[in-house]
Structure formats: C-alpha cells, structure tokens
C-alpha cells in the first residue's frame, strides 16, 4: 500500500512540477452542507487513510504539502450553526472546495441556496470554486448532469466570471478529488 501512495504522491508532484505550480501557497476552505464529506476529504488528504469521521463541531485546519504547493485547509463544518461563521474566514480565502452529497437529493435545494449565498458574497467574487459531487460510489448517486441541473450550474456559469468547475468524486474510493485539486492549483496566483 505504501508503494501505491508513494507512486501517487510522486505522480502528483510530477504533474504539479510540469504545470509550473511549485512555490504556491493557498488558503482553501471546505464548504458544503453537513455530511457532504468535507472532514473525510481533509482526513484522506492528510493521512491517505479513509476512516469514519465525526460531524464537525468546531472549525479546524490542516497544512497539507503537495510538492512545493502548501495548502492551508479549513474545514468549517456544514450544519446551519457552523455556516454562520463561514464569513469570518472569507477575507483570507484563495479557493473553495464546495462538497455536495450526490446521494442526498432531498437536500439539493438547500445546497443550491448555500452555494448561491457564497456566490453572492462580495469578498469571494474572484475566488475559484471547485464543486465536488461526492459519494458517487453509493447507490442512488446522481449523474453529473443531474447534479448540475439541481444546482442550476448552467445558470451559474452564465452569470459568473470567476473560475467554477464541477467534479464528481468519491472520497472513500479516492476518486475525482485529485483532479479538483489540480484544477484549483492552476487557478491560484503565483507567489
């Protein structure tokens, strides 16, 4: 297993080096509704292990190094009370990973509303946003087209000038989020 992790880490470093993404630092917040997979993603990025995580009660951060890319990541929680403090972190944000549970279709309207609130926040007007449709490995997960329709993605894209992209992911199966991080990396300013 450590061989695979070493290989993947080396491949990621090679890709970042090839793209000229070394010497970048960024503050990235993980946002989305509760139970979307934010804490699980942060844990996997930190330890390369999938474990059951508890709901986030208090914001926490981790510094992640990927090659010469240093990410200060912040998991702020997604329950309604936690969302009230998100704005306190916005002035220092360089990018957003917005996670959506692609199985929990009943909460898509709530996720859309939360995303719209983020898009309407003036201090985030130029911040790149990677939307991660998580849990695609689970029964009942919607397709990327269905998630885009539910989030009104085409309408968002028509009205936004900032970089926004949607990635279908499975944190537990380690699928898709690497592409999202690579994409975010290309949108960060050089130091």
């Amino acid at each position: 297993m450590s061989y695979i992790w070493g290989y993947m880490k080396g491949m990621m470093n090679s890709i970042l080096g090839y793209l000229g993404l070394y010497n970048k630092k960024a503050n990235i917040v993980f946002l989305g509704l509760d139970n979307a997979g934010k804490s699980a993603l942060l844990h996997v990025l930190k330890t390369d292990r999938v474990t059951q995580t508890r709901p986030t009660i208090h914001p926490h951060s981790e510094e992640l190094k990927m090659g010469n890319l240093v990410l200060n990541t912040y998991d702020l929680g997604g329950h309604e009370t936690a969302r009230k403090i998100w704005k306190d972190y916005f002035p220092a944000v360089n990018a957003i990973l917005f996670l959506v549970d692609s199985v929990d279709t009943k909460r898509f309207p709530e996720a859309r509303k939360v995303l719209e609130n983020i898009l309407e926040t003036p201090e985030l007007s130029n911040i790149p946003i990677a939307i991660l449709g998580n849990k695609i490995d689970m029964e009942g997960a919607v397709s990327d087209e269905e998630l885009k329709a539910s989030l009104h993605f085409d309408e968002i894209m028509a009205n936004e000038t900032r970089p926004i992209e949607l990635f279908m992911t499975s944190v537990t199966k380690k699928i898709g989020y690497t592409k999202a991080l690579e994409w975010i990396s290309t949108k960060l300013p050089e130091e």
Side-chain angles (χ1 to χ4, degrees):
M1 187 59 121
S2 63
Y3 170 77
I4 294 171
W5 171 241
Y7 175 76
M8 289 178 61
K9 203 171 177 182
M11 187 172 74
M12 179 65 101
N13 290 343
S14 296
I15 291 169
L16 293 174
Y18 175 76
L19 296 172
L21 302 176
Y22 285 119
N23 301 320
K24 286 189 176 184
K25 288 186 176 186
N27 294 321
I28 298 180
V29 291
F30 291 39
L31 303 177
L33 303 183
D34 51 302
N35 200 39
K38 299 175 298 299
S39 296
L41 176 58
L42 185 56
H43 185 78
V44 167
L45 291 172
K46 180 182 175 193
T47 66
D48 193 40
R49 290 193 330 258
V50 176
T51 60
Q52 185 72 22
T53 58
R54 296 179 182 197
T56 303
I57 296 172
H58 302 288
H60 65 277
S61 67
E62 295 288 343
E63 182 177 273
L64 304 173
K65 294 180 182 177
M66 300 165 71
N68 288 339
L69 177 65
V70 178
L71 302 176
N72 294 312
T73 60
Y74 299 88
D75 176 4
L76 304 181
H79 52 86
E80 199 168 336
T81 304
R83 287 183 234 152
K84 293 177 182 176
I85 65 151
W86 287 0
K87 64 184 179 312
D88 297 341
Y89 290 79
F90 289 167
V93 169
N94 301 109
I96 295 171
L97 291 179
F98 186 83
L99 281 79
V100 179
D101 182 339
S102 68
V103 178
D104 196 356
T105 57
K106 291 179 184 174
R107 295 190 77 191
F108 284 177
E110 183 182 4
R112 181 179 64 241
K113 179 69 175 151
V114 170
L115 180 58
E116 288 170 355
N117 289 339
I118 291 167
L119 294 171
E120 293 169 359
T121 304
E123 61 260 47
L124 300 176
S125 63
N126 296 314
I127 302 300
I129 301 174
I131 302 168
L132 281 62
N134 192 30
K135 304 183 184 180
I136 61 170
D137 58 307
M138 296 180 69
E139 186 175 328
V142 299
S143 68
D144 59 336
E145 292 87 11
E146 291 169 308
L147 184 57
K148 284 180 177 181
S150 295
L151 296 177
H152 299 172
F153 190 77
D154 290 339
E155 184 180 317
I156 290 170
M157 294 303 290
N159 295 318
E160 285 293 326
T161 57
R162 81 180 92 200
I164 300 176
E165 191 59 65
L166 183 127
F167 301 86
M168 298 305 282
T169 65
S170 168
V171 172
T172 59
K173 298 292 183 186
K174 300 181 182 179
I175 300 169
Y177 58 82
T178 307
K179 289 181 182 177
L181 289 169
E182 289 171 8
W183 179 85
I184 284 284
S185 296
T186 65
K187 306 304 176 194
L188 298 172
E190 293 290 334
E191 289 221 321

